[in-house]
Amino acid sequence: MISQKEIDAMIKEPADARFKYTIKRIADWEKLWVIGDGNVFATFSDDENNIVFPIWPFEELAQLCCIEEYSQYRPEVMSLDDFLNEFIPDFEKSNYKLSLLPLSTGKGMAIDISMFKEALNIELEKYE
């Protein structure tokens, strides 16, 4: 769970700071949040027409993006292991990008999956 003070602070941060925060929190809790409608998870396209899969470190932050075209979506938790083992291989084959902690005011920064995995591995090494 995240405090309102932390939510308010994060939504003011630029995309690169939200990226670092998300990596740390996902490593801390070994879970992440996505939004979906019970059948499919939300994705969006960036300016280069890449399919982008958004993830958040906390339910409360994911909930902020369940508006407008995503108003029928709800936050869904996913274990880090499931995400890495069941989703990432398919995303890599399909050349998806990730967006870490995108905001409802903008889609955020789309990154390559290799960048996500590298940053996450560096963070997870701190816990060994």
Side-chain angles (χ1 to χ4, degrees):
M1 185 162 206
I2 183 173
S3 70
Q4 188 61 48
K5 182 178 179 180
E6 197 167 347
I7 291 170
D8 294 342
M10 272 300 100
I11 61 176
K12 294 177 184 173
E13 292 291 338
D16 61 329
R18 294 193 319 269
F19 171 85
K20 292 174 187 171
Y21 172 85
T22 300
I23 291 291
K24 178 166 180 20
R25 294 301 185 208
I26 289 173
D28 285 346
W29 297 100
E30 295 186 6
K31 65 181 176 180
L32 54 98
W33 292 84
V34 299
I35 59 174
D37 67 3
N39 296 313
V40 297
F41 296 122
T43 61
F44 59 84
S45 296
D46 66 8
D47 295 338
E48 298 170 7
N49 290 321
N50 293 302
I51 297 174
V52 181
F53 190 84
I55 61 174
W56 294 267
F58 291 105
E59 177 181 16
E60 295 85 352
L61 292 166
Q63 183 65 50
L64 295 174
C65 290
C66 294
I67 60 171
E68 297 172 1
E69 70 213 72
Y70 301 108
S71 63
Q72 300 301 313
Y73 288 62
R74 297 291 169 252
E76 298 181 33
V77 69
M78 187 180 298
S79 76
L80 180 56
D81 282 343
D82 285 350
F83 185 66
L84 293 175
N85 296 319
E86 295 178 25
F87 289 86
I88 289 294
D90 289 336
F91 290 173
E92 287 176 312
K93 287 178 194 165
S94 300
N95 294 316
Y96 278 28
K97 304 284 185 188
L98 296 177
S99 182
L100 280 63
L101 209 162
L103 302 174
S104 61
T105 56
K107 301 235 183 339
M109 178 174 72
I111 61 161
D112 289 327
I113 290 175
S114 60
M115 183 178 178
F116 168 77
K117 288 177 14 181
E118 181 180 342
L120 183 64
N121 286 334
I122 289 168
E123 189 64 32
L124 288 171
E125 285 176 2
K126 297 175 184 177
Y127 295 82
E128 294 177 359

